[in-house]
Amino acid sequence: MGEPLTVDHEALAVRTLGPCRVTSPLLPLLSARPTTQHYIDEGDKVLFDDTLAMVSSRKVPIEELPSFEAAGPRRKIYFDPAKTRVGIVTCGGLCPGLNNVIRGVVTELTTHYGVTRIFGFRNGYQGFIARYGHDVVDLTPQTVATIGEDGGTILGTSRGQQDPEEIVDCLSRMNINILFVIGGDGTLRGAGEIARVANERGEKIAVVGIPKTIDNDIPFIDQSFGFQTAFAKASESIVAAHAEATSAPGGLGLVRLMGRHSGFIACYASLAKSDADVVLIPEIPFTLDGEGGLLNYLRRRIEETGHALVVVAEGAGQELSAAENGGQSTGTDASGNRKLHDVGVFLSRRITDYFASVGVEMNLKYIDPSYVIRSVPANPYDSVYTIRLAHAAVHAAMAGRTEMVVGRWRRRFIHIPLPLAISHRNQVDPSGDLWMSVLEATGQPPRFQ
Ligand code: ATP
Ligand code: MG
């Protein structure tokens, strides 16, 4: 991923397909209310900066302070609902809440805007390419009524590159006006390509993303959907590992959790259950050997308290396990993402060897909940969050916004230009307050070195 873009006034501007001239069908519904606070005016902007120091250091007039466009219904919209045809696709790995997003989009489009032609494309971007032979499914409020109760995605998903020209061919052939894309960083890059090709061809297709990232690694979003469900599920493994570790002489629990590049799940799951003695995340390198290394620390914990519990994010310590394998490459998946060395297996072996070499009794219990945390249904918080994100996405698309994703920033739903959403990764700040909380909860040293 590249460097963060400079976030200024212009970088936050969202592309639109054209002026909004159609009166929103939501108007009668909304005007029955005593106030008009549910409309979003063009001037409703959400400040990017959250401290006085940040604002004053910009030295620009108030109207040039960087601010996000607020999400929500507009009085005038771009698309005529009676003629609007919509596509929905889910790509990349599973995440709790995918079905809830699909359901929210479909019900908002039909019940409030009166859009009735909504098509689900199956198995990610493959669904647009005829040679894969996937059927296109009609989505109605009836077909999606109860899907939020299940994990996974009713549309299926896939990895692997597809030609954006062919995807736009399919969208034109089916007269699709709006495409909702639910997926991670790779998916959103793909969405950017689709929007670019459509724009070059002069096709008025709105491409709106609902970012999916179980690792919470997409920037400019307070927290991604499914994250809370995922770390709650992950914390169950910490409880289990703690019980195992405290029930055996020299018990050492080791839990490997998701988090390829960002350790948010490991941090939050560990804070949810204050049993972890050590949390290891990709953002903070660590050393195994030597006085200040992890192994010596674990031995001291076991000698002092009789047990120890380590939580490791899957992307942590990659350089250590790579070095053990002579720097051998692990290859890539179908989408070109680098496969990771298994840090859990690596640590299990190194910890076992170390305790044998120093002659201290140690009983290792290794738990890897793996896909269990991402395939569960959304919890009540994420169910609420996903439906609200879905509503925001529908309002944005009907108002002709394109090449953007919806998010939440400082508790407001907002529009984020797509280039910004894929400009860099959201990561745990080693000098930020989240990591400080983890250090305080575990008592581990700031660095193992
Ligand atoms: P996650 O990593 O959270 O599972 P993701 O969306 O990043 O989700 P990927 O498998 O990387 O998952 O990508 C999903 C889809 O997006 C694939 O079809 C992939 O080919 C496509 N894609 C990935 N990167 C790009 C890119 N740079 N340009 C166009 N399409 C891309
Ligand atoms: Mg990805």
Side-chain angles (χ1 to χ4, degrees):
M1 292 237 166
E3 283 299 299
L5 292 182
T6 316
V7 176
D8 57 16
H9 187 54
E10 280 86 46
L12 298 183
V14 173
R15 193 156 83 76
T16 68
L17 292 172
C20 293
R21 299 211 171 94
V22 179
T23 299
S24 170
L26 271 71
L27 271 184
L29 181 81
L30 294 180
S31 58
R33 295 181 180 159
T35 70
T36 56
Q37 65 185 344
H38 294 281
Y39 306 117
I40 298 299
D41 288 316
E42 292 315 318
D44 189 356
K45 297 290 178 77
V46 178
L47 269 187
F48 178 80
D49 299 323
D50 70 343
T51 65
L52 282 176
M54 286 165 85
V55 170
S56 62
S57 71
R58 300 236 178 221
K59 302 198 178 2
V60 295
I62 280 186
E63 61 279 9
E64 283 174 32
L65 283 173
S67 55
F68 291 106
E69 194 171 84
R74 270 63 183 166
R75 289 183 182 81
K76 292 280 184 187
I77 57 178
Y78 179 79
F79 288 109
D80 176 354
K83 298 182 190 146
T84 303
R85 295 165 65 92
V86 175
I88 306 179
V89 67
T90 52
C91 314
L94 295 185
C95 176
L98 287 168
N99 281 333
N100 305 64
V101 175
I102 297 169
R103 181 172 175 274
V105 167
V106 172
T107 51
E108 181 69 12
L109 279 167
T110 48
T111 52
H112 292 304
Y113 283 96
V115 173
T116 52
R117 276 154 305 179
I118 310 171
F119 306 97
F121 290 88
R122 294 196 48 92
N123 299 324
Y125 288 138
Q126 287 184 4
F128 300 97
I129 313 291
R131 67 174 176 281
Y132 287 99
H134 302 311
D135 53 334
V136 175
V137 289
D138 286 323
L139 295 173
T140 65
Q142 291 73 38
T143 57
V144 300
T146 59
I147 63 174
E149 289 161 27
D150 297 319
T153 157
I154 56 155
L155 295 178
T157 172
S158 68
R159 298 195 191 274
Q161 202 68 32
Q162 307 302 336
D163 180 6
E165 301 278 349
E166 281 186 72
I167 295 175
V168 178
D169 289 345
C170 172
L171 295 173
S172 323
R173 204 168 49 239
M174 291 185 63
N175 294 314
I176 301 278
N177 310 102
I178 296 173
L179 177 64
F180 291 104
V181 174
I182 311 164
D185 56 330
T187 305
L188 298 178
R189 279 168 213 284
E193 292 289 292
I194 296 168
R196 176 185 59 76
V197 172
N199 191 35
E200 281 168 9
R201 294 192 193 175
E203 300 258 11
K204 298 290 191 186
I205 301 174
V207 181
V208 171
I210 298 112
K212 169 220 67 115
T213 152
I214 201 167
D215 292 345
N216 196 37
D217 58 358
I218 291 187
F220 310 115
I221 296 175
D222 290 339
Q223 213 168 69
S224 54
F225 78 79
F227 172 70
Q228 198 184 86
T229 305
F231 82 70
K233 191 72 193 165
S235 71
E236 293 174 12
S237 294
I238 296 180
V239 174
H242 178 70
E244 291 284 352
T246 51
S247 304
L252 197 153
L254 174 63
V255 181
R256 186 182 84 136
L257 296 177
M258 289 195 155
R260 292 177 57 86
H261 304 278
S262 306
F264 289 103
I265 291 180
C267 290
Y268 273 80
S270 301
L271 287 171
K273 307 286 171 195
S274 307
D275 299 324
D277 294 300
V278 174
V279 178
L280 302 170
I281 59 173
E283 292 87 339
I284 300 179
F286 61 92
T287 306
L288 288 173
D289 303 309
E291 180 67 21
L294 174 69
L295 297 172
N296 189 40
Y297 186 77
L298 292 177
R299 179 173 63 142
R300 289 209 313 270
R301 291 298 305 170
I302 286 191
E303 284 171 347
E304 285 160 18
T305 67
H307 55 86
L309 179 51
V310 180
V311 176
V312 60
E314 60 181 328
Q318 285 297 303
E319 60 293 340
L320 297 177
S321 38
E324 192 183 56
N325 293 333
Q328 239 179 7
S329 159
T330 42
T332 56
D333 69 13
S335 293
N337 302 305
R338 188 169 57 86
K339 286 190 187 159
L340 297 178
H341 294 277
D342 189 328
V343 68
V345 171
F346 166 75
L347 281 181
S348 300
R349 193 172 52 244
R350 290 297 305 271
I351 291 169
T352 305
D353 290 352
Y354 171 77
F355 276 90
S357 74
V358 293
V360 174
E361 181 178 16
M362 188 277 302
N363 275 296
L364 181 79
K365 297 293 186 319
Y366 174 40
I367 297 183
D368 182 353
S370 179
Y371 294 151
V372 170
I373 71 166
R374 64 174 216 182
S375 49
V376 291
N379 71 8
Y381 173 88
D382 278 323
S383 301
V384 173
Y385 188 28
T386 44
I387 201 164
R388 299 188 68 195
L389 281 170
H391 291 172
V394 169
H395 296 313
M398 291 304 291
R401 301 307 195 265
T402 188
E403 236 185 303
M404 58 150 275
V405 304
V406 287
R408 185 147 71 163
W409 188 250
R410 317 210 185 294
R411 309 201 62 75
R412 292 285 307 274
F413 287 89
I414 53 158
H415 299 168
I416 307 165
L418 194 54
L420 217 58
I422 54 178
S423 61
H424 67 283
R425 268 194 192 95
N426 188 30
Q427 288 193 303
V428 177
D429 178 356
S431 50
D433 61 346
L434 173 61
W435 185 242
M436 293 310 125
S437 294
V438 173
L439 294 182
E440 284 169 25
T442 59
Q444 75 190 76
R447 292 278 197 277
F448 291 104
Q449 55 197 9

